[in-house]
Amino acid sequence: MNQIHYSPSVQRVDALTMNRVLRNTYMLLGMTLLFSAAMAGVSMALNWPHPGMLITLVGYFGLLFATTKLRNSGWGLVSVFALTGFMGATLGPIINMYTTAFSNGTELVMMAMGGTAVIFLAMSGLALTSKRDFSFLGKFLFVGILVAFLAGLGAVFFQFQPLMLAVSAMFVMLMAGLILFETQQIVRGGETNYIMATVTLFVSIFNLFTSLLHLLGFALGED
């Protein structure tokens, strides 16, 4: 049986490619997070109302589809900022709601941000240093996110608070797993498009933050 041998030069090229994708992903992720935060700040300052579930879902999935189609062109960058800016604009009214509904609303927001940062750094660090293969998480995460999304729609439609809390807890675990999975995909060459890698990590961070905020508001919110 013939064996395929990879030369050191090929391995160096692969390593350089993965390092470039990782570097570009983190650079773009940082810029989109800043832009999204700026849009959230604008929507908070202008007291924009939340657009509602229908407009939010149409806007999100529409811009996500556009980003996926344009991921290999310069327009993909424009689409990424449109998507993350839109998500930031929808986040502003949510933060305003917590800061006005709870006397410790600002503290809750800061705690959710801190928790999100800790989880992101922990999962990223694990993905970058662990020799364990986490690719088995892919199918589980896909099914889990689909189930949690549908359950979330049902919880909102029926206004069933226990299910809302359960969905938020599910999303915290699923988004932590998605950060771990996607980062290792980049490191091991499974994801070579930094635009799509950025979108995946941004959406993970966004959902992680909002889910933590919901849980903290329920557990620690003070009237």
Side-chain angles (χ1 to χ4, degrees):
M1 182 181 293
N2 294 330
Q3 294 182 345
I4 299 175
H5 298 280
Y6 294 98
S7 67
S9 61
V10 172
Q11 293 176 350
R12 282 196 299 271
V13 171
D14 290 341
L16 288 172
T17 300
M18 287 182 284
N19 287 335
R20 183 173 66 251
V21 174
L22 187 64
R23 182 178 65 252
N24 290 342
T25 298
Y26 281 152
M27 287 179 59
L28 183 58
L29 180 63
M31 289 187 289
T32 53
L33 286 172
L34 288 174
F35 181 64
S36 182
M39 289 302 300
V42 169
S43 65
M44 291 173 65
L46 298 179
N47 201 27
W48 288 350
H50 193 274
M53 180 181 293
L54 180 60
I55 294 177
T56 298
L57 291 178
V58 171
Y60 169 71
F61 284 109
L63 290 168
L64 181 61
F65 176 78
T67 303
T68 303
K69 297 293 289 185
L70 299 170
R71 65 186 182 276
N72 294 317
S73 70
W75 286 105
L77 291 172
V78 176
S79 185
V80 166
F81 279 98
L83 172 62
T84 56
F86 172 77
M87 293 177 71
T90 63
L91 182 61
I94 297 175
I95 295 176
N96 269 346
M97 180 188 71
Y98 276 87
T99 56
T100 55
F102 300 107
S103 60
N104 62 337
T106 301
E107 289 80 3
L108 294 175
V109 172
M110 297 305 295
M111 289 173 62
M113 289 178 62
T116 301
V118 169
I119 293 173
F120 176 79
L121 292 174
M123 292 299 100
S124 298
L126 180 60
L128 293 171
T129 58
S130 177
K131 295 182 179 180
R132 184 178 179 183
D133 185 4
F134 294 104
S135 60
F136 69 92
L137 290 174
K139 292 181 180 179
F140 169 78
L141 289 170
F142 176 79
V143 174
I145 291 170
L146 180 60
V147 170
F149 175 74
L150 294 176
L153 291 180
V156 172
F157 182 78
F158 293 107
Q159 289 297 300
F160 189 46
Q161 182 69 15
L163 182 56
M164 292 181 184
L165 293 171
V167 169
S168 293
M170 288 176 62
F171 264 111
V172 169
M173 293 184 289
L174 289 168
M175 293 304 105
L178 186 56
I179 292 168
L180 173 62
F181 172 80
E182 184 66 16
T183 303
Q184 192 178 76
Q185 285 292 99
I186 299 170
V187 173
R188 299 197 173 191
E191 177 61 83
T192 58
N193 188 289
Y194 72 95
I195 288 180
M196 295 311 301
T198 298
V199 169
T200 301
L201 291 177
F202 180 92
V203 171
S204 300
I205 292 171
F206 182 94
N207 287 325
L208 183 57
F209 171 75
T210 55
S211 298
L212 283 174
L213 186 59
H214 183 207
L215 293 172
L216 289 169
F218 175 80
L220 302 176
E222 299 176 357
D223 293 334

